[in-house]
Amino acid sequence: MELDLAGAELKAVLNRLRRAQGQISGVIRMIEEGRDCEDVVTQLAAASRALDRAGFAIIATGLQQCLTEVEEGRRSAESQDEMRARLEKLFLSLA
């Protein structure tokens, strides 16, 4: 499945991933500094949510593209079933 992210979608996903990257760097720094466990876990949870949101945004975009291709007749019935199974597997991997 090829994913075509438009400008705004791509920017939003990249922003989420950069935010998660910064949060993970913060977690590493906090651990190295011996910071409070509760603070570390809170920051780690925020990074996890940012990654989940980026993943869901990518899956939602893929689903939208798949549905558009079906409506426009660019995807066969067999291909539709395969795509559905693949998207379902991806979705469940984040759940």
Side-chain angles (χ1 to χ4, degrees), residues 32-84:
E32 290 173 343
E33 294 171 356
R35 297 274 299 271
D36 181 66
C37 177
E38 186 176 343
D39 294 339
V40 172
V41 171
T42 299
Q43 190 69 13
L44 189 58
S48 178
R49 283 190 304 273
L51 289 172
D52 286 345
R53 287 177 167 256
F56 285 129
I58 290 169
I59 290 171
T61 300
L63 179 57
Q64 182 180 18
Q65 288 175 4
C66 181
L67 291 174
T68 300
E69 289 175 1
V70 168
E71 289 173 357
E72 294 175 353
R74 293 184 290 167
R75 189 173 293 278
S76 68
E78 179 181 341
S79 181
Q80 290 175 34
D81 292 339
E82 291 173 4
M83 183 60 66
R84 181 186 173 279

Side-chain angles (χ1 to χ4, degrees), residues 4-18 61:
D4 182 25
L5 290 174
E9 295 163 337
L10 178 61
K11 185 176 180 179
V13 168
L14 290 175
N15 284 342
R16 288 185 192 280
L17 291 173
R18 286 187 183 104
T61 300

